[in-house]
Amino acid sequence: MSLLSIRNLDVRHGLLQAVRGVSFDLAKGDVLALIGANGAGKTTLMRSIAGAHLPAAGNILLDGEDISTVPSHKRIARGIALVPEGRRLFSQMTVEENLLLGKTAGRTGDWNIERVFDAFPNLKPRRHAKTGHLSGGEQQATAIGRALMSNPDILLLDEVSLGLSPLVVDRVYAQLHALLTSGTTIVLVEQDLGRAMNVASRVICMLEGRVVLDKPAVNVSRDEITQAYFGLHRAAGERSAS
Ligand code: ATP
């Protein structure tokens, strides 16, 4: 059985339909790169999986159970953790206090504060610093660490590179590497396609709210990605996938 199943999902922001008939399954250990141009609907889909938006239609199943209307705090307790775009840390709280918030989900597992500091060694000397005083890379590491503290089965990483210098992004990805190869199921939204394809086992490309490409990462060419990303297959007269 799939760990996560998305079935014909529609999500709206008022009159605007941001996600249109999206369906896919994720197996345990999949690392899914969710790609697409600005406004394609990636963040809306990630937030919908995390419970921040309720679907207008369709279903989200976790381990076969329909969680479409389960509120976000209960989804964390069921093992879905989102590292949101923009990190959303509590800037007046310390690194350690932010990390401990991840524990409030009450899930047990291998992740604890010391293991987070092992995974992100640059955070340890900053554990008592307020996160508002941290560098972008340290803030991103704290946001990822906070999610890991909830011992998730599915980790949703939305644009972890955003606003970071290439050098810092390299460091964050190096630190993520152990996680990416540890069997944790991950959905990664990443604008840097090369970086996303390096770590992903599977790639889904969204265009105007729809899935237009869904393939194992090893089977997909740069050309296919470019065509899906920019909707060039439609310009060539083909029907878009839906
Ligand atoms: P980006 O890479 O720019 O973050 P995205 O692929 O993540 O893009 P979304 O942020 O999900 O796309 O946006 C999808 C569409 O929904 C866009 O047209 C966007 O303007 C719109 N949208 C997103 N959030 C809201 C909101 N809170 N209210 C109204 N419209 C929204």
Side-chain angles (χ1 to χ4, degrees):
M1 184 197 298
S2 304
L3 178 58
L4 183 75
S5 294
I6 309 294
R7 296 267 170 270
N8 301 314
L9 199 73
D10 289 346
V11 187
R12 294 176 180 278
H13 299 294
L15 291 178
L16 188 141
Q17 188 169 351
V19 171
R20 297 165 180 265
V22 165
S23 296
F24 62 87
D25 288 295
L26 271 189
K28 188 170 166 18
D30 277 349
V31 177
L32 170 67
L34 181 60
I35 63 171
N38 286 346
K42 308 176 299 293
T43 293
T44 303
L45 178 57
M46 295 282 264
R47 286 172 54 79
S48 303
I49 297 170
H53 300 305
L54 290 183
N59 304 89
I60 300 172
L61 286 80
L62 181 67
D63 273 328
E65 190 186 336
D66 195 333
I67 59 160
S68 310
T69 58
V70 170
S72 54
H73 66 279
K74 291 198 175 153
R75 293 197 203 185
I76 301 173
R78 293 199 191 187
I80 299 177
L82 171 68
V83 178
E85 189 177 356
R87 298 154 207 151
R88 309 246 176 123
L89 295 168
F90 291 93
S91 60
Q92 290 306 311
M93 290 167 64
T94 66
V95 168
E96 191 165 307
E97 287 165 344
N98 271 277
L99 291 176
L100 287 172
L101 287 175
K103 280 212 86 58
T104 55
R107 289 174 60 82
T108 53
D110 290 345
W111 285 101
N112 54 38
I113 212 152
E114 291 312 322
R115 191 163 166 219
V116 169
F117 288 142
D118 285 346
F120 299 100
N122 55 328
L123 282 187
K124 195 164 185 174
R126 308 287 275 144
R127 69 192 292 166
H128 300 303
K130 290 186 175 167
T131 56
H133 298 160
L134 301 183
S135 69
E138 290 166 345
Q139 288 184 359
Q140 191 61 78
T142 306
I144 297 168
R146 181 178 60 183
L148 292 173
M149 289 285 285
S150 71
N151 282 292
D153 294 329
I154 302 175
L155 182 63
L156 307 169
L157 295 169
D158 196 356
E159 305 240 15
V160 288
S161 312
L162 202 69
L164 304 181
S165 71
L167 206 68
V168 175
V169 177
D170 281 347
R171 199 175 307 143
V172 171
Y173 267 83
Q175 291 164 341
L176 271 178
H177 193 74
L179 178 68
L180 288 162
T181 52
S182 69
T184 309
T185 307
I186 293 173
V187 183
L188 180 74
V189 170
E190 175 58 74
Q191 288 296 345
D192 182 335
L193 293 185
R195 217 178 271 282
M197 298 310 290
N198 273 344
V199 295
S201 58
R202 164 116 168 265
V203 58
I204 285 181
C205 182
M206 292 180 74
L207 178 74
E208 295 168 5
R210 298 182 194 281
V211 171
V212 289
L213 177 85
D214 180 356
K215 278 195 161 183
V218 289
N219 293 348
V220 69
S221 69
R222 268 268 173 192
D223 273 359
E224 276 177 291
I225 290 180
T226 309
Q227 294 214 346
Y229 196 95
F230 293 107
L232 299 178
H233 56 301
R234 290 196 312 198
E238 295 174 26
R239 277 176 52 103
S240 62
S242 55

